[in-house]
Amino acid sequence: MSRKDKIIDGKKIASEIQEELYSEIQVLKTVSPKKPGLAVILVGNRKDSQAYVRMKKKMARKLGIVDFEKNLPENISQEELLQVVTEYNNNPEVNGILVQLPLPKHIDEETILNAISPEKDVDGFSPINMGNLCMKGRDPLFVPCTPKGCIELIKRSGVNISGKKAVIVGRSNIVGLPISFLLLHENATITVCHSRTKDIAKEVKDADIVIAALGAPEFVKGDWIKKGAVIIDVGINAVPDKTKKRGYRLVGDVDFEGCLKNASKITPVPGGVGPQTIIQLMKSTVEGFKRQNGIKKLL
Ligand SMILES: Nc1nc(=O)c2c([nH]1)NC[C@@H]1CN(c3ccc(C(=O)N[C@@H](CCC(=O)O)C(=O)O)cc3)C=[N+]21
């Protein structure tokens, strides 16, 4: 198989989904005078968080989703932040609420995520949605965007998940854990590796599907990859590079060139999973809009 056939074009898949969503929004305009609304809450001045929020805003605008943005100072109190969440919970023009993570250390993340109304929790991080995601046969109102995007990339690349052995490296609440459950519900056999796993290489060597989501640059090595395996790289790590304008380049959690050799499919970084995170958020916002306005499936 040629190099090009192996590389999953995440940008292209995201723009296909964008087209589909755009058409759906046009149809929605014919049945409702209201527009879907997304509120993004950003606390502090982290450059990366600001960049992500900018991308979300830009995509919302392109699709005709109204964006409500709150930029709050680093030193805001937990009470004040809760107040902002409550305001959006009660605002009928807001169909989705996203609190950009990570939050400053003096704020308890769990308390904040708990305060978001599950009906508007487009990230799917509130305990009710997480709980329903983990249990069999229960449909959560929202599924976390990045894990949802990974499943979409796998399916749209023509890969069958049922019966496959999936090895997930990383067990974070925002990626590793939810994606493990999504793959399980798709009838994969899952193995979740983490910092206490005895021999991660050995586990990965058995995998038909590898999900790398641990946050360590080029951690997964080429000689761990079984012939024909499908690799989804969720990592985004900045490594210093003087030849680049920004002074760094982005690499994933996978040694891309090394792993490409045995893989049948692999996502690049950038241009793989990243764009899914944004587009799935838009999709979830529109789902919330429909549910909150009693609009049934139209397409
Ligand atoms: N509550 C919450 N929800 C999130 O969804 C959330 C968050 N907090 N905190 C931070 C992470 C990270 N994240 C990304 C979004 C877009 C790209 C993306 O579009 N990346 C492009 C471009 C990367 C670039 O060139 O800078 C790519 O990989 O091709 C990546 C990562 C959302 N996050």
Side-chain angles (χ1 to χ4, degrees), residues 170-238:
R171 57 172 161 180
S172 73
N173 286 337
I174 64 169
V175 182
L177 186 91
I179 202 169
S180 301
F181 282 99
L182 288 176
L183 288 165
L184 180 63
H185 299 329
E186 295 284 340
N187 301 311
T189 300
I190 59 167
T191 299
V192 184
C193 301
H194 47 77
S195 52
R196 309 287 174 89
T197 299
K198 290 258 155 55
D199 191 344
I200 297 179
K202 182 172 147 243
E203 304 295 340
V204 172
K205 280 175 183 173
D206 264 347
D208 303 308
I209 298 171
V210 181
I211 311 285
L214 69 153
E218 301 178 324
F219 181 86
V220 174
K221 303 293 185 276
D223 63 352
W224 302 2
I225 303 301
K226 188 166 89 176
K227 196 138 194 73
V230 174
I231 306 172
I232 304 295
D233 189 352
V234 189
I236 344 173
N237 309 286

Side-chain angles (χ1 to χ4, degrees), residues 114-251:
N114 227 326
I116 301 172
S117 158
E119 279 74 31
K120 297 190 178 183
D121 167 36
V122 277
D123 254 334
F125 292 160
S126 80
I128 301 260
N129 285 319
M130 271 290 189
N132 283 331
L133 172 74
C134 295
M135 280 184 267
K136 191 179 171 177
R138 295 233 203 151
D139 271 331
L141 294 166
F142 296 103
V143 171
C145 304
T146 304
K148 200 173 159 205
C150 293
I151 300 289
E152 186 113 37
L153 287 177
I154 296 171
K155 287 189 172 169
R156 290 195 188 223
S157 306
V159 175
N160 225 323
I161 300 172
S162 183
K164 298 283 166 63
K165 183 172 165 92
V167 175
I168 300 97
V169 188
R171 57 172 161 180
S172 73
N173 286 337
I174 64 169
V175 182
L177 186 91
I179 202 169
S180 301
F181 282 99
L182 288 176
L183 288 165
L184 180 63
H185 299 329
E186 295 284 340
N187 301 311
T189 300
I190 59 167
T191 299
V192 184
C193 301
H194 47 77
S195 52
R196 309 287 174 89
T197 299
K198 290 258 155 55
D199 191 344
I200 297 179
K202 182 172 147 243
E203 304 295 340
V204 172
K205 280 175 183 173
D206 264 347
D208 303 308
I209 298 171
V210 181
I211 311 285
L214 69 153
E218 301 178 324
F219 181 86
V220 174
K221 303 293 185 276
D223 63 352
W224 302 2
I225 303 301
K226 188 166 89 176
K227 196 138 194 73
V230 174
I231 306 172
I232 304 295
D233 189 352
V234 189
I236 344 173
N237 309 286
V239 299
D241 185 339
K242 288 196 201 93
T243 70
K244 294 281 188 285
K245 269 204 301 277
R246 305 194 272 194
Y248 64 88
R249 72 193 152 91
L250 294 178
V251 302

Side-chain angles (χ1 to χ4, degrees), residues 10-11 41 46 48-49 51-53 55-56 97-102 113 123 125 144-146 174 234-236 246 248 250 268-278 281:
K11 262 187 162 158
I41 303 170
R46 279 180 67 120
D48 56 343
S49 291
Y52 295 138
V53 170
M55 289 193 266
K56 287 167 187 172
I97 303 170
L98 179 143
V99 177
Q100 187 71 21
L101 302 176
L113 295 179
D123 254 334
F125 292 160
C145 304
T146 304
I174 64 169
V234 189
I236 344 173
R246 305 194 272 194
Y248 64 88
L250 294 178
V269 176
V273 173
Q276 281 298 315
T277 304
I278 306 277
L281 173 65

Side-chain angles (χ1 to χ4, degrees), residues 106 149 256:
H106 68 279
F256 183 80

